[in-house]
Amino acid sequence: MRKKGSNLIIFCVIDFLCCISCRLSAQSVIPSYSHNNDSLNTIAFHYYNQQKDLIDIFNHLFHINQNRKLDTAVNRDIPVYFTIAPIVEYTIATGFSPGVAGNVAFKTSDKKKTNVSSILAAIKYTEKQQFMLPVQSTIWTPGNKFNLIGDWRYYKYPQDAFGIGAYTTEADKYIISYNYVRFYEQIIRRISNSIYLGYGYQLDYHWHIKEEQLTPGRITDFQKYGFTETSTSSGINVNVSFDNRENSINPNPGSFYANLQFIQNSTLLGANSNYSSVIMDFRKYISVPLNTLLAVWFYSVITLKGSPPYLDLPGMGTDMYNNTGRGYEQSRFIGKKFIDLEAELRFKISRNGLVGGVIFANASSVSEMISNRFEVISPGVGVGLRIKFNKFSNTNACIDFGKGRNGSGGFVGNLGEVF
């Protein structure tokens, strides 16, 4: 699961010692092969024998037969590969956060051209008594006829809050605590080549909402906006997308993804208020010299009509995988409108694919509470390390360090690429 923290110090540090591979049998991502084609299987076996991941390190340390793993990966019919490992995080907001992260990558068909499906999940309990259980999934049916996208979460979570807009400072910080359930599910149907049309349901429910560590007499933006002890967003979304990525976990050069969603939240479905918004998500992956990839991401959420609950306002790190705005704490800047542009240069460090790196830059803006206009741009820059978590699904464990304006900065971690 791609999960972001404000100041991540340790991510998958003990993967090297504790990575567990559950070999249900595997399907390669690159190069492709067929279980009934010996020539292609030989190519795949040779390719993966040259590549290394954290599971290989574990196998080497504990003297496990690597060729058996490769035979299982290349020659079995059922295209599933499952990896689970301990993680340890440290953030200013959470303290130490031990937990477990898992990744399942598979194809629903080895006879039709089908994208790689994935399920990413984690369970964590932090030093500050925060509990997080997120599960995100992308399931492609045979031949890519349908794509089922899920985002399910349960949080018991106090978080830093600063107010609405980009003029807020660190001095504005206080704590909002809440319990949270998210249930998002979409079904998308291919209508032509890489073009998809779909619909879905979205539920965000917060309860036991409390403001804490406030100075006496302070009136927060939450109170001005309309404080409630519970809040619900519940609505239907309609979306159209173009997606030619074979593997959304780590897209190949030449891949392109574009998604446009319209969301209508309604009191008829249990929402606190009627409000509508549009989400734009565009991603391009460009091959550049020296075996390097340039990835570009544009992401925006615009409230068209009405007012979302305060805790559902868009902002930094409020995308599906909490990845926008590296260099800033999650929800550092929020507003009714949010726009973000990111670019990342990805490159190999080791020939065997075990270690890679990235250089990234981003720029974000949120609308202000009074004017509802974009007035401040918040840039960020940084570098990152990539360690191959699972070479068959091409999944990386990612550690990034980003710096933003006014001294903002910190480490962030993901299982799978940021975008």
Side-chain angles (χ1 to χ4, degrees), residues 125-145:
Y125 188 80
T126 76
E127 182 182 350
K128 297 187 178 181
Q129 299 181 339
Q130 298 154 321
F131 180 79
M132 291 167 278
L133 177 60
V135 179
Q136 279 113 7
S137 60
T138 299
I139 311 297
W140 292 93
T141 62
N144 297 334
K145 184 175 182 180

Side-chain angles (χ1 to χ4, degrees), residues 63-229:
H63 308 290
I64 297 174
N65 187 346
Q66 172 67 10
N67 286 338
R68 181 180 178 184
K69 171 191 171 185
L70 286 171
D71 286 335
T72 302
V74 173
N75 293 315
R76 295 287 181 87
D77 294 342
I78 305 173
V80 177
Y81 203 84
F82 174 57
T83 304
I84 187 170
I87 57 173
V88 179
E89 295 179 353
Y90 179 84
T91 74
I92 293 175
T94 66
F96 281 100
S97 306
V100 177
N103 162 235
V104 182
F106 58 95
K107 288 191 176 184
T108 57
S109 174
D110 61 353
K111 300 183 184 300
K112 298 180 179 180
K113 184 177 181 181
T114 304
N115 291 349
V116 176
S117 298
S118 67
I119 301 173
L120 301 167
I123 183 169
K124 293 184 287 184
Y125 188 80
T126 76
E127 182 182 350
K128 297 187 178 181
Q129 299 181 339
Q130 298 154 321
F131 180 79
M132 291 167 278
L133 177 60
V135 179
Q136 279 113 7
S137 60
T138 299
I139 311 297
W140 292 93
T141 62
N144 297 334
K145 184 175 182 180
F146 291 97
N147 184 14
L148 285 75
I149 302 172
D151 183 3
W152 307 349
R153 308 182 191 185
Y154 170 73
Y155 287 0
K156 184 175 181 181
Y157 198 77
Q159 71 172 40
D160 293 338
F162 300 85
I164 296 175
Y167 289 110
T168 59
T169 68
E170 287 293 321
D172 298 315
K173 182 168 69 174
Y174 68 104
I175 301 296
I176 297 177
S177 64
Y178 54 82
N179 289 18
Y180 173 51
V181 166
R182 167 179 284 190
F183 178 81
Y184 288 9
E185 195 66 42
Q186 299 182 56
I187 182 167
I188 300 172
R189 190 185 194 284
R190 188 180 67 186
I191 57 176
S192 176
N193 295 327
S194 298
I195 300 175
Y196 299 84
L197 182 66
Y199 60 91
Y201 172 71
Q202 299 186 184
L203 171 69
D204 294 281
Y205 176 58
H206 296 83
W207 72 101
H208 293 162
I209 302 171
K210 298 178 182 178
E211 293 186 308
E212 302 173 351
Q213 300 183 13
L214 285 174
T215 56
R218 177 181 175 183
I219 300 176
T220 65
D221 282 355
F222 196 173
Q223 295 168 21
K224 296 175 185 177
Y225 190 79
F227 177 85
T228 57
E229 294 183 353

